[in-house]
Amino acid sequence: MCVNQVGIHTNIIIPVQNNIYNWQHFLNLKEIGKQPSGNYQYLGFGWGDRDFYPTNPSQIQEIVSLGIQALFFSRGSLMRVEGYPEIPQSHDIHCVGVNTSNYLNTVHFIQNSFELTPQGQTILFVRSDESDASYYEAKGHYSLLRNSNNWTAEGLRQANINTPLWAGIPQAVMFHVSRNPN
């Protein structure tokens, strides 16, 4: 199990399938990304505000405006799922080994973060125009006390990985993960 930092967000990265779990039973990999092939070996999962997360604002006015709205007036959240052909090396990344039970705890945590239809299907919100990612409806509301990095830390705690008590910034998550034994 790996964690990477991309800008102000952290993500949990796990294999599409291994001898413990196959994500193709939960997600349609052909829905992921701008030109989806479904031929991913790893998936990165993140959670964030539905208005801020998929827009990727670049101008300071947009960042401040959407950021304040997300922190104090969130209208809901999204799961970001990005497909990778291999473990990404372009961003800060740390990997740790976990046992089967702890791995499944994190898988269930991630699954339980998705909003599902009555039939148990994920709900696609939008595909990214810029990456191999898609956004899905998620449970919960983003806030100052529960942001994307807090979500990542919660997921890692399910695998008994040491995390900060409050993980408001990505560096706190990455520091703690880097100090976990493999």
Side-chain angles (χ1 to χ4, degrees), residues 161-178:
I161 296 172
N162 185 33
T163 61
L165 291 176
W166 182 73
I169 59 174
Q171 293 83 356
V173 175
M174 299 306 288
F175 173 78
H176 277 77
V177 172
S178 71

Side-chain angles (χ1 to χ4, degrees), residues 37-88:
S37 65
N39 295 328
Y40 303 118
Q41 298 301 309
Y42 294 89
L43 295 174
F45 294 93
W47 179 90
D49 178 72
R50 76 179 298 113
D51 294 325
F52 185 93
Y53 209 18
T55 60
N56 195 19
S58 58
Q59 295 184 343
I60 192 68
Q61 300 92 324
E62 292 177 311
I63 293 170
V64 171
S65 173
L66 287 172
I68 289 171
Q69 180 181 330
L71 291 173
F72 300 105
F73 308 105
S74 177
R75 296 184 316 123
S77 59
L78 297 173
M79 288 293 297
R80 182 179 192 275
V81 181
E82 184 165 0
Y84 301 103
E86 57 190 37
I87 293 177

Side-chain angles (χ1 to χ4, degrees), residues 11 23 32 38 40-41 53 56 64 67 84 89-90 94 96 99 101-102 113-114 135 139 144 154 158 162 168-169 180:
N11 304 291
W23 279 96
I32 300 172
Y40 303 118
Q41 298 301 309
Y53 209 18
N56 195 19
V64 171
Y84 301 103
Q89 300 299 317
S90 59
H94 296 291
V96 293
N99 66 33
S101 175
N102 290 338
S113 297
F114 282 85
Y135 295 85
K139 296 176 183 173
L144 180 62
E154 287 175 42
Q158 303 302 308
N162 185 33
I169 59 174
N180 278 274

Side-chain angles (χ1 to χ4, degrees), residues 7 16 30-31 48 52 75-76 96 106 119 125 128 134 162 171:
V16 168
K30 293 187 184 293
E31 286 182 345
F52 185 93
R75 296 184 316 123
V96 293
T106 298
Q119 297 77 30
F125 179 75
S128 173
S134 288
N162 185 33
Q171 293 83 356

